[in-house]
Amino acid sequence: MDQEDRASEIARTPGVVVSNAAVRAGDDVADRVWMEVHSTSSLIDSSLRSEYAFIIGEVGRGRQGSSMKIRGAVLTEIGQQRPYAASRPLTVREVELDSPGPGEVLVRIEAAGVCHSDLSVVDGNRARPVPMLLGHEAAGIVEQVGAGVTDTDVGQRVVTVFLPRCGTCDNCRTEGRLPCSVGSEANGAGTLLGGARRLHLDGQDVNHHLGVSGFATHAVVNRRSIVPVGEDVPHDVAALLGCAVLTGGGAVINAGRPAPGQDVMIVGLGGVGMAALLTAVALSLDSTPRGAVIGVDSNPDKLRRAEELGATRVLSPAEVADSGLKAPVVIEAAGHPRAFETAVAATMPGGTTVTVGLPSPEARSEISPLGLTAEARSIVGSYLGSAVPSRDVPVFEQMWREGRLPVERLVTSRIPLDEINMAMDDLADGRAVRQIIDLTHV
């Protein structure tokens, strides 16, 4: 049995869901099933999914034709010492990129944001397989589509999202409350949603970062890892819609759900926190009476910037504790156990603490269970802003278009790709909200 026949046999296994089932492989080949497989039944052995992913990766690569050379920032070793400008954990070099396989698209990257989720791989807080081409918050232009992609055109500007949603697993049925289990598995393995790796260096596969690998001139991604946006959306704004805004803004709208006139407090004013603050300001301006938007951070520069972005009041964590200030909706966006404790303590009776930051897996916090019970308070975890990207990115895009969400004000600097290691230092030291890598002239 050849590989195509074996793939089709697996795809017909009971309990396996195949999207866009029949895709023409070529003039001399019958219609075959060439899309990623997602299991919706515990009866399906994971080895079948792994075998199918390998086949579509290998056969897809063989039928695609020639690959292309791109430039990208590759991490080969985790946990190198700082400053990163000296140790240079990320090397910008030429990498081989396959053409898009079934269900995939080739994107010419125009802009990529530097996010803590990138830094957490460099410093070892998030264990990922290496070598890995980093970057997940990006935007660009579709240059080629793979077999079966019928809803995205060449020339379309798109936003990348760092967690594709298969649309069929149990988690995907929660309307964003839970992250897609299939997408999460692919992200952990360093593959695209369909199980393939399209990057190669010196004869070795290079892992994809969160299904994107956006610190590069081009990327091949699964169709479910992109959301189209309008031509009027600048590429740097578009890039931020897919992570900072989707995560921070989504935490406010989807998880915090402040009622009209309610105060919102944001603890941790990095890129995600500032995006949450911008969103809370937009909601406040839309409501009567207007609720206060409170920014909390230990960095005075970030507090000043929060005021510039419309915060009603800004405080340090110590000032919050000393003042006894509380809010009905508190968003924790720092990804630090002390910030989480500050957020919980600052939540009013009957209120909601939303934690959207990603701390180290070893991090621990101490809170009083009695306070939660006696005061009927809730703590809600929110991954990717509890968002469904295809649903929520257009909402934030329209808010930007109407002038209610000035996403471009999150950008603190624009840098070339070659300065990526310095950018990691600036992010780690709290000197940046969002640095945008400009890839239009690489």
Side-chain angles (χ1 to χ4, degrees), residues 40 59 65 104 123 146 155 162 209 263 304 318 326 362 378 388 432:
T40 57
V59 177
E104 299 168 0
D123 65 19
F162 66 83
H209 185 217
D263 297 345
R304 284 191 289 271
K326 296 180 185 292
E362 289 76 35
S378 302
V388 177

Side-chain angles (χ1 to χ4, degrees), residues 21-107:
V23 177
R24 184 164 297 281
D27 292 341
D28 58 345
V29 182
D31 285 351
R32 300 287 188 181
V33 174
W34 284 114
M35 289 296 290
E36 63 274 8
V37 171
H38 310 305
S39 172
T40 57
S41 169
S42 60
L43 298 177
I44 304 304
D45 194 304
S46 62
S47 64
L48 287 179
R49 299 196 299 274
S50 299
E51 182 183 0
Y52 187 90
F54 174 78
I55 291 173
I56 66 168
E58 292 300 304
V59 177
R61 183 189 309 177
R63 65 151 68 132
Q64 291 167 131
S66 61
S67 60
M68 65 185 295
K69 300 293 185 181
I70 66 170
R71 278 173 54 79
V74 179
L75 177 72
T76 56
E77 183 181 350
I78 290 174
Q80 291 195 34
Q81 292 186 342
R82 294 196 55 207
Y84 298 129
S87 63
R88 302 187 67 80
L90 288 161
T91 304
V92 178
R93 56 189 303 181
E94 190 175 82
V95 180
E96 182 182 356
L97 178 67
D98 295 334
S99 298
E104 299 168 0
V105 299
L106 170 67
V107 179

Side-chain angles (χ1 to χ4, degrees), residues 163-174:
L163 181 65
R165 298 185 73 83
C166 72
T168 61
C169 69
D170 289 342
N171 286 9
C172 279
R173 297 188 182 99
T174 65

Side-chain angles (χ1 to χ4, degrees), residues 234-373:
H235 51 73
D236 51 358
V237 170
L240 297 183
L241 291 177
C243 176
V245 174
L246 195 61
T247 303
V252 175
I253 293 176
N254 296 324
R257 299 183 178 184
Q262 277 194 324
D263 297 345
V264 178
M265 180 184 292
I266 314 296
V267 179
L269 298 175
V272 169
M274 288 293 194
L277 186 139
L278 276 183
T279 304
V281 169
L283 296 181
S284 174
L285 294 176
D286 290 343
S287 66
T288 302
R290 292 180 179 177
V293 178
I294 304 156
V296 179
D297 202 285
S298 58
N299 186 323
D301 291 337
K302 291 184 176 180
L303 294 180
R304 284 191 289 271
R305 191 169 185 86
E307 284 186 306
E308 295 171 358
L309 295 179
T312 310
R313 187 177 180 183
V314 295
L315 305 95
S316 69
E319 289 171 333
V320 172
D322 291 342
S323 68
L325 182 66
K326 296 180 185 292
V329 177
V330 181
I331 311 294
E332 182 279 306
H336 191 282
R338 304 293 83 77
F340 176 72
E341 292 168 355
T342 295
V344 172
T347 303
M348 290 177 60
T352 301
T353 307
V354 178
T355 176
V356 72
L358 287 175
S360 164
E362 289 76 35
R364 296 292 182 270
S365 292
E366 184 174 318
I367 61 174
S368 168
L370 178 60
L372 300 179
T373 304

Side-chain angles (χ1 to χ4, degrees), residues 357-418:
L358 287 175
S360 164
E362 289 76 35
R364 296 292 182 270
S365 292
E366 184 174 318
I367 61 174
S368 168
L370 178 60
L372 300 179
T373 304
E375 297 183 351
R377 289 188 279 132
S378 302
I379 298 176
V380 177
S382 177
Y383 189 76
L384 187 58
S386 308
V388 177
S390 61
R391 176 195 70 195
D392 295 340
V393 167
V395 172
F396 293 117
E397 176 187 359
Q398 187 59 28
M399 290 176 68
W400 169 83
R401 187 174 286 115
E402 294 170 353
R404 299 161 56 213
L405 195 70
V407 176
E408 59 275 5
R409 298 187 66 185
L410 297 176
V411 179
T412 48
S413 63
R414 292 173 174 81
I415 63 172
L417 182 59
D418 289 333

Side-chain angles (χ1 to χ4, degrees), residues 75 77-91 118-125 418-429 431:
L75 177 72
E77 183 181 350
I78 290 174
Q80 291 195 34
Q81 292 186 342
R82 294 196 55 207
Y84 298 129
S87 63
R88 302 187 67 80
L90 288 161
T91 304
D118 304 303
L119 176 62
S120 66
V121 181
V122 173
D123 65 19
N125 276 325
D418 289 333
E419 293 182 9
I420 183 62
N421 289 298
M422 295 171 56
M424 291 294 168
D425 283 323
D426 287 343
L427 185 60
D429 291 335
R431 294 191 293 266

